[in-house]
Amino acid sequence: MNILAIESSCDETAAAVVRDGREIVSSVVATQIEEHRLYGGVVPEIASRRHCESIYAVVDEAIAKAEMTLGDIDAIGVTYAPGLVGALLVGVNFAKGLAFAANKPLIPVHHIRGHIAANYLAHKDLEPPYMCLVASGGNSLIVKVNGYTDFEIIGQTVDDAAGEAFDKSARAMGFPYPGGAFIEKAAKTGDAAKYKLPKPHTANPFDFSFSGLKTAVINLIHNTEQRGETLDINSLAACFQKTVSEILTDKFVGAARENDCKKIALAGGVAANGGLRAALQTAADKNGMTLFIPPISLCGDNAAMIGSQAFYEYQSGKTAKTDLNAYATMRLDKVIW
Ligand code: KG4
């Protein structure tokens, strides 16, 4: 089954053709990051306008790169939640129009379910049940994946998401938006033991809290400046990355152990972080767990992951009509459409 997938939840306009949920036939991602960087973060109205301008060309290119015509496409999958509503609506409406005109089934896909499904494209042998850590710009979740469309939330952030903590701390350190990759680069030459950063406690041991850590970074920068001392930014980046990686790894592996789960996976934009990938691999080896991680190209927002999840949503009977709407927030274990 060939699914044409469309993703426009934030600042990437993306389209892909995915075969049987596991094979990327083509994948096109048009990023708007350079423009949003001028403002230090994503400007929703600009995002919607850029999606409007590029969605036709991106979808056209994905079909052309797959060496197909619309006639070869069996269904259309689209991200409809969660995300920036104005941005989502562009993809949803485009997909609705295309599905209606070409008389193809329309499959609504939850963005975070898509991030998790990126692992199916990279690891053909991965099947539920397993446990997944989702760390992206807007979400931090520990999820028990009981089936392809059956999810249980074990832990989540009570304030900032991991990527948000990276971006806000990076901004305080003077790096451009989005700051995660800049922190990783700076951390490579820093001393990860130089500064002590806090690991906030949460009532549920598997929930996350990152806002205190972000505030500690900001306070450390201000206090150092006020004392007239020079801050070692690379070491601060290294300490921050190490602390976030340890928090994510300890809680995730702890949750997997408590749930007797030996198969674990990582997903989301922050999954691109080398420090986190290494820390998780070490913890997985120590605990006799098998770790699945998508390649960096599939960690950030893309449509191939949406095409993969769309296949499994379709198999479970999920299709939408022309009244499909977009939603800014939605739990991944309780989807509506
Ligand atoms: O998954 P994603 O592309 O968008 C959402 O669906 O939220 O994640 C974007 C997030 C940003 O916060 C970005 O700073 C972070 O992923 N990120 C990284 C790295 N690359 C991207 N964080 C840490 N290290 C990286 N190498």
Side-chain angles (χ1 to χ4, degrees), residues 111 115 136-138 163-164 166-167 178-181 184 268-270 272-273 299-301:
H111 181 74
H115 271 301
S136 71
E164 199 178 345
F166 263 100
D167 294 342
E184 178 171 6
V270 182
N273 187 272
C299 289
D301 289 349

Side-chain angles (χ1 to χ4, degrees), residues 140 157-162 164-166 168-169 198-202 208-219 240 244 247:
S140 297
T157 184
V158 296
D159 41 55
D160 291 353
E164 199 178 345
F166 263 100
K168 289 177 177 169
S169 302
K199 287 185 183 167
H201 285 280
T202 50
F208 303 107
S209 167
F210 290 111
S211 74
L213 177 60
K214 168 197 69 189
T215 307
V217 168
I218 294 169
N219 288 344
F240 176 81
V244 173
I247 294 170

Side-chain angles (χ1 to χ4, degrees), residues 77-144:
V78 65
T79 308
Y80 74 118
L84 301 170
V85 155
L88 286 165
L89 282 170
V90 177
V92 166
N93 265 323
F94 191 90
K96 278 205 281 194
L98 199 57
F100 181 72
N103 198 21
K104 312 279 181 194
L106 176 65
I107 311 163
V109 179
H110 188 286
H111 181 74
I112 303 301
R113 289 187 177 194
H115 271 301
I116 295 171
N119 279 290
Y120 302 137
L121 298 166
H123 307 288
K124 310 288 179 217
D125 52 334
L126 175 63
E127 285 175 8
Y130 61 94
M131 196 90 122
C132 190
L133 169 65
V134 186
S136 71
N139 293 270
S140 297
L141 295 166
I142 295 175
V143 182
K144 217 168 140 211

Side-chain angles (χ1 to χ4, degrees), residues 1-5 16-26 121 303-308:
M1 179 181 196
N2 293 322
I3 294 183
L4 170 67
V17 176
V18 175
R19 186 170 293 139
D20 296 336
R22 294 278 177 168
E23 187 195 337
I24 303 174
V25 186
S26 69
L121 298 166
M305 66 186 199
I306 302 302
S308 173

Side-chain angles (χ1 to χ4, degrees), residues 13-321:
T13 318
V17 176
V18 175
R19 186 170 293 139
D20 296 336
R22 294 278 177 168
E23 187 195 337
I24 303 174
V25 186
S26 69
S27 178
V28 179
V29 180
T31 183
Q32 313 168 356
I33 277 182
E34 288 303 329
E35 192 168 356
H36 296 293
R37 187 167 280 160
L38 297 172
Y39 306 95
V42 177
V43 182
E45 187 182 332
I46 292 177
S48 307
R49 290 179 183 278
R50 296 298 163 264
H51 287 310
C52 248
E53 288 164 4
S54 47
I55 195 156
Y56 183 93
V58 167
V59 170
D60 209 35
E61 193 182 334
I63 297 173
K65 277 196 168 155
E67 296 181 2
M68 290 181 183
T69 64
L70 205 48
D72 302 311
I73 301 295
D74 300 301
I76 294 166
V78 65
T79 308
Y80 74 118
L84 301 170
V85 155
L88 286 165
L89 282 170
V90 177
V92 166
N93 265 323
F94 191 90
K96 278 205 281 194
L98 199 57
F100 181 72
N103 198 21
K104 312 279 181 194
L106 176 65
I107 311 163
V109 179
H110 188 286
H111 181 74
I112 303 301
R113 289 187 177 194
H115 271 301
I116 295 171
N119 279 290
Y120 302 137
L121 298 166
H123 307 288
K124 310 288 179 217
D125 52 334
L126 175 63
E127 285 175 8
Y130 61 94
M131 196 90 122
C132 190
L133 169 65
V134 186
S136 71
N139 293 270
S140 297
L141 295 166
I142 295 175
V143 182
K144 217 168 140 211
V145 185
N146 295 322
Y148 289 104
T149 57
D150 178 3
F151 302 85
E152 206 181 317
I153 296 174
I154 305 293
Q156 57 196 317
T157 184
V158 296
D159 41 55
D160 291 353
E164 199 178 345
F166 263 100
D167 294 342
K168 289 177 177 169
S169 302
R171 189 178 182 157
M173 292 180 211
F175 295 120
Y177 174 85
F182 290 95
I183 288 191
E184 178 171 6
K185 193 162 171 244
K188 286 192 168 66
T189 52
D191 170 8
K194 185 157 181 173
Y195 300 107
K196 180 112 188 80
L197 294 172
K199 287 185 183 167
H201 285 280
T202 50
N204 169 0
F206 304 131
D207 277 347
F208 303 107
S209 167
F210 290 111
S211 74
L213 177 60
K214 168 197 69 189
T215 307
V217 168
I218 294 169
N219 288 344
L220 199 144
I221 293 171
H222 286 167
N223 292 342
T224 311
E225 278 169 5
Q226 276 165 5
R227 284 198 301 267
E229 293 168 10
T230 312
L231 190 75
D232 178 352
I233 288 287
N234 290 4
S235 293
L236 181 56
C239 294
F240 176 81
Q241 178 174 290
K242 182 167 173 275
T243 307
V244 173
S245 298
E246 282 174 359
I247 294 170
L248 290 170
T249 300
D250 290 351
K251 288 184 181 251
F252 180 43
V253 172
R257 282 171 58 154
E258 180 146 315
N259 284 272
D260 232 354
C261 202
K262 290 282 183 198
K263 255 196 306 184
I264 59 172
L266 181 60
V270 182
N273 187 272
L276 174 61
R277 292 163 90 98
L280 252 186
Q281 190 61 63
T282 305
D285 293 345
K286 206 169 130 197
N287 287 279
M289 296 171 181
T290 309
L291 173 65
F292 298 86
I293 308 183
I296 288 174
S297 59
L298 290 174
C299 289
D301 289 349
N302 65 87
M305 66 186 199
I306 302 302
S308 173
Q309 184 60 25
F311 176 74
Y312 295 106
E313 298 290 346
Y314 186 71
Q315 286 200 324
S316 78
K318 185 179 181 188
T319 55
K321 299 206 174 66

